[in-house]
Amino acid sequence: VPWLSVTARGGGRYTAYTNSTDEARLAFTDDSLSRAYGEAGLALVGPSFSRIYEGELGRFGRFKHVTEPRVDYEYVSDVDDPLRIPVFDEVDTALGRNQVRYAIVNRLLARPAEAKTGGATEIASFEIAQTHAFRLPQLASQTATSFENFAAKTGPIEGALRLTPGALFSLDGRVAYDTHVERITATSFAASVNWKTNYVNATWFGSRPAPVAGSTSSARTDQIRVAAGVDIGKSFRIDTQLNYDAQQNRLLEDRSLLTFNGSCYSLFLEVRQLRLPPDTRRDYRFVVNLKDVGQLLDVNGSLDRLFGGQ
């Protein structure tokens, strides 16, 4: 069908763990554990509608507006004993779900006025979407509480605006509106500047979830993340990241990475300070890589133990 795109997928995953945790995930039990689950998905895109506009704006000379509906279905079977699975990465946190996400996507493509400078690229998009669960998502614990929007099997209305007028600059804004409590429950805004191998980006994200019945806590969060990376000469590079909690007026984490690239080797020195109550910690990591060989040395530890801490 020329006006409809269909993508289907299916599969499964089996993982064998040589050790497992207690249900509080505080200690290993020395018992092996296996986990298996199946998954499937279906994506429908179309029919698409488009219109071309002539006119110059900056370096662009022609624009194309595309509107297309999109439906994404996702199914994952329930996982047995999820609290006993040791968590190393996102693969170990999979839980059952059966849901569909439907969206209307508007895309704006632009072609340079000078055809020799390149073809059409997407410079902006605006998406409105909502997720509906055919059954409540699986929870890691039977006693865990669920948000009211999931209890109603219908998620908030989500809006996403992306602006990428060129390779140098980009903006991304998102908002979620919960129709059950009639208020905005989550927002985020990100800006990024990139030139050559250097970058600066900043992200603000806040959440104001609906209060759980019987609780007086609003669980409101406002956090800011700033990151930057710059080359210092031909051999040195520094990257840094700061995480700040505006609600607590506290710098939660800062980490910096100094890189030196030699003719046949690379040196990495990373320093991180975590300021999450009740304790803070300062860590370091030093890595030596050899060209065409790989990692030769990886040393990490606590700066507090080396130099003393508060």
Side-chain angles (χ1 to χ4, degrees), residues 27 88 189:
F88 295 100
F189 180 81

Side-chain angles (χ1 to χ4, degrees), residues 71-119:
V71 179
D72 293 284
Y73 170 74
E74 183 182 23
Y75 170 81
V76 178
S77 62
D78 284 350
V79 175
D80 295 332
D81 298 324
L83 289 179
R84 296 185 56 211
I85 298 173
V87 177
F88 295 100
D89 53 35
E90 66 278 0
V91 172
D92 305 306
T93 59
L95 294 172
R97 53 191 178 276
N98 184 9
Q99 61 190 29
V100 61
R101 183 178 187 269
Y102 35 88
I104 294 292
V105 183
N106 289 272
R107 302 163 56 214
L108 181 63
L109 292 82
R111 183 184 295 275
E114 297 290 338
K116 297 181 180 180
T117 59

Side-chain angles (χ1 to χ4, degrees), residues 18-292:
T18 57
N19 208 336
S20 60
T21 67
D22 56 19
E23 292 196 351
R25 283 179 173 164
L26 297 177
F28 284 99
T29 62
D30 295 327
D31 295 326
S32 60
L33 179 70
S34 63
R35 179 199 63 179
Y37 64 86
E39 56 184 354
L42 183 68
L44 304 175
V45 181
S48 299
F49 305 91
S50 63
R51 183 174 180 179
I52 296 177
Y53 299 89
E54 302 286 348
E56 293 189 4
L57 180 62
R59 65 185 182 91
F60 300 113
R62 173 179 286 190
F63 301 89
K64 182 179 183 180
H65 175 217
V66 180
T67 299
E68 57 188 20
R70 182 181 183 97
V71 179
D72 293 284
Y73 170 74
E74 183 182 23
Y75 170 81
V76 178
S77 62
D78 284 350
V79 175
D80 295 332
D81 298 324
L83 289 179
R84 296 185 56 211
I85 298 173
V87 177
F88 295 100
D89 53 35
E90 66 278 0
V91 172
D92 305 306
T93 59
L95 294 172
R97 53 191 178 276
N98 184 9
Q99 61 190 29
V100 61
R101 183 178 187 269
Y102 35 88
I104 294 292
V105 183
N106 289 272
R107 302 163 56 214
L108 181 63
L109 292 82
R111 183 184 295 275
E114 297 290 338
K116 297 181 180 180
T117 59
T121 58
E122 182 175 299
I123 62 171
S125 67
F126 178 66
E127 176 181 320
I128 298 179
Q130 191 172 33
T131 299
H132 174 77
F134 295 104
R135 61 176 174 82
L136 297 180
Q138 182 186 11
L139 300 175
S141 171
Q142 297 295 330
T143 59
T145 58
S146 179
F147 293 112
E148 291 183 6
N149 58 336
F150 278 120
K153 297 185 179 181
T154 302
I157 298 175
E158 304 169 347
L161 174 65
R162 305 178 188 89
L163 301 176
T164 53
L168 178 66
F169 183 70
S170 64
L171 288 172
D172 188 300
R174 300 170 184 268
V175 63
Y177 179 82
D178 194 327
T179 57
H180 301 99
V181 295
E182 297 184 344
R183 75 177 187 188
I184 294 175
T185 55
T187 52
S188 70
F189 180 81
S192 178
V193 179
N194 302 271
W195 69 103
K196 297 183 179 179
T197 59
N198 309 308
Y199 70 93
V200 176
N201 58 60
T203 304
W204 168 79
F205 49 94
S207 64
R208 294 155 181 81
V212 178
S215 173
T216 58
S217 174
S218 62
R220 175 174 174 172
T221 62
D222 284 286
Q223 295 191 11
I224 300 172
R225 178 177 301 160
V226 180
V230 61
D231 290 324
I232 306 174
K234 296 182 179 180
S235 300
F236 286 94
R237 175 181 177 84
I238 186 169
D239 295 85
T240 187
Q241 178 179 306
L242 304 174
N243 296 335
Y244 176 78
D245 191 317
Q247 285 290 316
Q248 302 181 34
N249 192 23
R250 178 195 298 270
L251 185 63
L252 300 180
E253 181 184 21
D254 64 88
R255 59 196 312 168
S256 297
L257 174 66
L258 178 64
T259 305
F260 175 80
N261 292 309
S263 58
C264 60
Y265 65 94
S266 298
L267 306 178
F268 302 90
L269 176 61
E270 182 179 10
V271 177
R272 183 188 74 158
Q273 183 166 356
L274 191 64
R275 300 178 176 86
L276 295 179
D279 299 319
T280 63
R281 54 182 295 178
R282 296 179 297 169
D283 302 319
Y284 72 91
R285 185 184 184 192
F286 180 69
V287 179
V288 178
N289 283 344
L290 294 182
K291 185 177 180 181
D292 299 328

